[in-house]
Amino acid sequence: MDCAESKIKFDSREQDRGDILNRFQSCFFATSRLVSFPWTVLEKDLERSKSSNVILDILKQTCLHSLCRKFPPSPRYRKCFLSELIRRMEAAGCEPLDELYDALAEVVAAQEVAEGYRTYLLPCGDAVGLLENVALISEGTTGLVTWEAALYLAEWALGHPQTFAGRKVLELGSGAGLTGIAVCRLCGPSSYIFSDCHQGVLQRLTHNLSINGLNNNTNNTKTEVSVEELDWMDVTEERLNDISADVVIAADVVYDPDVVAVLVQLLSKILRQRGCRVPAEVFICSTVRNPRTYAGFKHNLSDAGIGHRVMSGAVKRVFEYSRGSEIELVQLFAGQ
């Protein structure tokens, strides 16, 4: 083997190693399920090298990374992750790694909490850290965690910044805030209104905006940001006219048949606001968990004279999340 061929193989291995580290980092900070990590690729690397160096590199990109001190995943998640790393290292017969066992001892000693951070890495290199509840449903709401449709909607928005640039955006049911923070960071809206009706969600939203530099004191974008209580049952046309949004978005709001009718009434008001020369552009992104509930939503739209079209174009993968469920993004418009 000549020097040039040897260098190509070395460079290829270095690229593979970089890909492994990036994938482990993005999965770890998004607190992805452990089965989604590239364990098979890691095992091949360990088998070839018989060295724990790659484990140390993974550790530096996850539990020992400065981002983990700023936005730490829950102690339970870190414990499970580190335990799995140790299992893989020992199975490969690599030398023990003190840093790995020290990191595990630290999280084992930590007090378990009901909250933890999920962090999503943006294409620009920045990170969106969100304090979320470990339980999917808590305090009587699902709004304290990030759901798949919010991530998909954020990915679609990052691929269509012209839809938001220089415009006023209203988000319904903002939840933990991922979609809105991503849009404010990279799509350049003139103003962005995060909204929800649950007090616990509104408090968490305010916190998450603050730690991501989007509150009134530390806003490092040109976007005017606000958090507002918006009860779909009580909101008036006057209130919507005062908001006068150019774009209205929502993610994972079609999950309960009892909520669908109220949501459609609100959407009808938004699309038929009096005094608006140009109706707002409305986009609803849904994970289709229950086909009957989703079909009921579309039936309600039709009964209300609201048309829709499915946004079926390809969406570039940006974030780590489960893509096993069907997700559909639709644009709504008032019928003639």
Side-chain angles (χ1 to χ4, degrees):
M1 181 185 301
D2 60 27
C3 293
E5 186 178 352
S6 177
K7 182 178 186 302
I8 289 173
K9 288 193 174 184
F10 175 78
D11 290 343
S12 176
R13 287 197 298 269
E14 288 299 301
Q15 179 64 45
D16 291 343
R17 177 70 63 87
D19 291 341
I20 294 174
L21 296 179
N22 290 338
R23 185 72 195 284
F24 265 92
Q25 184 180 63
S26 59
C27 286
F28 173 79
F29 283 112
T31 66
S32 301
R33 296 176 59 195
L34 290 184
V35 294
S36 66
F37 284 73
W39 299 111
T40 302
V41 181
L42 173 62
E43 287 176 346
K44 290 180 180 179
D45 188 289
L46 292 174
E47 184 178 345
R48 183 181 66 248
S49 66
K50 294 300 181 182
S51 168
S52 57
N53 287 342
V54 66
I55 298 288
L56 179 58
D57 289 339
I58 289 172
L59 199 58
K60 290 178 179 177
Q61 293 300 316
T62 54
C63 292
L64 300 184
H65 196 277
S66 59
L67 203 56
C68 192
R69 291 192 291 274
K70 184 178 181 181
F71 299 132
S74 70
R76 180 182 178 185
Y77 184 83
R78 283 178 282 155
K79 176 184 175 182
C80 292
F81 171 73
L82 290 167
S83 298
E84 187 64 18
L85 267 184
I86 289 173
R87 189 179 76 81
R88 303 279 177 164
M89 181 185 69
E90 292 177 345
C94 298
E95 293 183 5
L97 192 64
D98 290 343
E99 292 91 340
L100 187 56
Y101 293 101
D102 290 344
L104 179 62
E106 181 180 336
V107 295
V108 167
Q111 183 178 0
E112 192 53 68
V113 294
E115 303 167 339
Y117 284 93
R118 280 185 177 176
T119 304
Y120 298 97
L121 307 180
L122 296 173
C124 63
D126 289 343
V128 176
L130 304 171
L131 182 62
E132 300 186 10
N133 278 30
V134 174
L136 296 179
I137 301 175
S138 53
E139 299 182 33
T141 180
T142 58
L144 296 172
V145 298
T146 298
W147 296 88
E148 290 89 347
L151 289 154
Y152 182 91
L153 180 56
E155 289 179 328
W156 181 85
L158 296 183
H160 298 79
Q162 69 279 2
T163 301
F164 305 93
R167 308 180 78 187
K168 187 173 188 178
V169 183
L170 167 64
E171 183 181 5
L172 305 174
S174 298
L178 181 277
T179 302
I181 294 171
V183 169
C184 290
R185 285 273 190 88
L186 296 178
C187 297
S190 60
S191 63
Y192 197 101
I193 300 172
F194 295 80
S195 74
D196 212 285
C197 66
H198 191 281
Q199 288 301 314
V201 174
L202 292 170
Q203 292 172 8
R204 181 65 55 78
L205 256 175
T206 301
H207 171 80
N208 283 339
L209 293 181
S210 178
I211 62 176
N212 285 282
L214 287 177
N215 63 5
N216 292 331
N217 296 324
T218 62
N219 191 343
N220 51 15
T221 73
K222 295 181 179 179
T223 302
E224 180 183 345
V225 174
S226 62
V227 176
E228 297 190 16
E229 181 177 358
L230 197 68
D231 190 321
W232 299 350
M233 296 186 66
D234 298 333
V235 65
T236 63
E237 292 185 8
E238 289 75 17
R239 175 83 181 280
L240 294 174
N241 284 331
D242 287 341
I243 293 173
S244 192
D246 301 307
V247 181
V248 177
I249 62 174
D252 258 328
V253 292
V254 183
Y255 58 88
D256 185 343
D258 295 333
V259 175
V260 165
V262 176
L263 172 62
V264 171
Q265 288 177 9
L266 172 60
L267 295 172
S268 182
K269 291 178 182 177
I270 290 172
L271 288 166
R272 295 182 172 90
Q273 288 181 67
R274 297 172 183 174
C276 291
R277 294 182 180 178
V278 180
E281 293 188 64
V282 180
F283 300 92
I284 307 295
C285 191
S286 306
T287 303
V288 185
R289 298 181 181 86
N290 186 323
R292 181 176 295 181
T293 299
Y294 194 62
F297 168 62
K298 289 187 174 180
H299 183 74
N300 273 263
L301 289 175
S302 179
D303 286 349
I306 300 174
H308 74 276
R309 70 182 182 102
V310 178
M311 312 298 287
S312 56
V315 173
K316 182 180 179 180
R317 178 171 179 157
V318 176
F319 304 114
E320 291 289 344
Y321 62 96
S322 173
R323 297 166 193 267
S325 301
E326 178 186 358
I327 298 177
E328 185 171 271
L329 174 64
V330 296
Q331 182 176 9
L332 307 184
F333 52 88
Q336 300 297 325

